Amino acid sequence: AVTVLDVGCSIGTFAIEMAHRGFNAFGVDLDETALTIARELADEEGVSPGFVLGDAADFSQSHGAIDIAIAFDIFEHLFDDQLGAMLVALRRQLAPGGSLVFHTFPSELDYLLFWGDERAAAFLEPFKDAEPAHFDRLVKTYAAMRNAWEVLNTGQTHSEKIAPTSHPNPLSAERLRAILERAGYELELYETGQLYGLEPEI
């Protein structure tokens, strides 16, 4: 059977769904309370994925190689060095031909430019039909200006301001691609898009 690991599974949403679909499903998390809830939900659903308390880096030592690792909304909680270490550890545990499927939110520029400020997009609205490469440069310039303004007003960059929060490391597509490549991954499909509405956290 194909082994699927839900990394940072919390209450086990993906592990339970994968078990429903007939996979050899596991969830791993450091939160014992969340895993207790995950086991209760799995019982209610009539499936029995394995739930492991601990670090995903040690999973394969006791449970074998991973065919598919799922990491949804995990990356943004880790700083670059932590994320890189986790990705390297996961890659070493993947079976030949194994895959990592991930989603991360929010993106770096969304968090800097638009989080909690509905007016922030007004400046960019007139340029929405520009060539993508030109619009990308404009967005990055606008972000740099807003970041400079934040430093002038608070003495902190946006990254410094959000470091103590639960999402300390929103990633740009370019940064994430570089981290994945340094960790030894080959990107087969890589898409960006906005799935959620933005609500301020800080």
Side-chain angles (χ1 to χ4, degrees), residues 12-26:
T13 304
F14 289 105
I16 291 169
E17 179 61 27
M18 293 301 104
H20 267 302
R21 294 171 181 259
F23 293 101
N24 184 30
F26 292 89

Side-chain angles (χ1 to χ4, degrees), residues 119-131 135 138 142:
R119 301 166 300 169
F123 174 78
L124 295 171
E125 182 70 22
F127 307 99
K128 65 182 180 181
D129 295 322
E131 290 291 323
F135 187 75
L138 180 64
Y142 184 36

Side-chain angles (χ1 to χ4, degrees), residues 104-133:
T104 184
F105 176 85
S107 72
E108 184 173 19
L109 294 181
D110 281 339
Y111 212 13
L112 172 57
L113 293 177
F114 308 121
W115 203 262
D117 186 356
E118 295 178 359
R119 301 166 300 169
F123 174 78
L124 295 171
E125 182 70 22
F127 307 99
K128 65 182 180 181
D129 295 322
E131 290 291 323

Side-chain angles (χ1 to χ4, degrees), residues 66-68 94-100:
I66 303 163
D67 296 297
I68 303 170
L94 288 175
S99 297
L100 168 66

Side-chain angles (χ1 to χ4, degrees), residues 16-130:
I16 291 169
E17 179 61 27
M18 293 301 104
H20 267 302
R21 294 171 181 259
F23 293 101
N24 184 30
F26 292 89
V28 61
D29 204 290
L30 295 169
D31 186 341
E32 190 167 5
T33 301
L35 292 180
T36 298
I37 296 170
R39 292 183 184 100
E40 292 170 356
L41 291 173
D43 285 344
E44 290 176 12
E45 293 287 325
V47 293
S48 52
F51 289 108
V52 180
L53 177 65
D55 193 324
D58 302 321
F59 176 83
S60 70
Q61 294 177 12
S62 53
H63 296 86
I66 303 163
D67 296 297
I68 303 170
I70 300 173
F72 268 50
D73 298 336
I74 299 297
F75 294 177
E76 66 275 10
H77 297 283
L78 306 173
F79 291 100
D80 284 5
D81 57 340
Q82 297 169 317
L83 176 56
M86 184 194 79
L87 289 170
V88 168
L90 279 176
R91 182 180 53 78
R92 289 177 178 156
Q93 298 179 84
L94 288 175
S99 297
L100 168 66
V101 180
F102 65 87
H103 175 267
T104 184
F105 176 85
S107 72
E108 184 173 19
L109 294 181
D110 281 339
Y111 212 13
L112 172 57
L113 293 177
F114 308 121
W115 203 262
D117 186 356
E118 295 178 359
R119 301 166 300 169
F123 174 78
L124 295 171
E125 182 70 22
F127 307 99
K128 65 182 180 181
D129 295 322

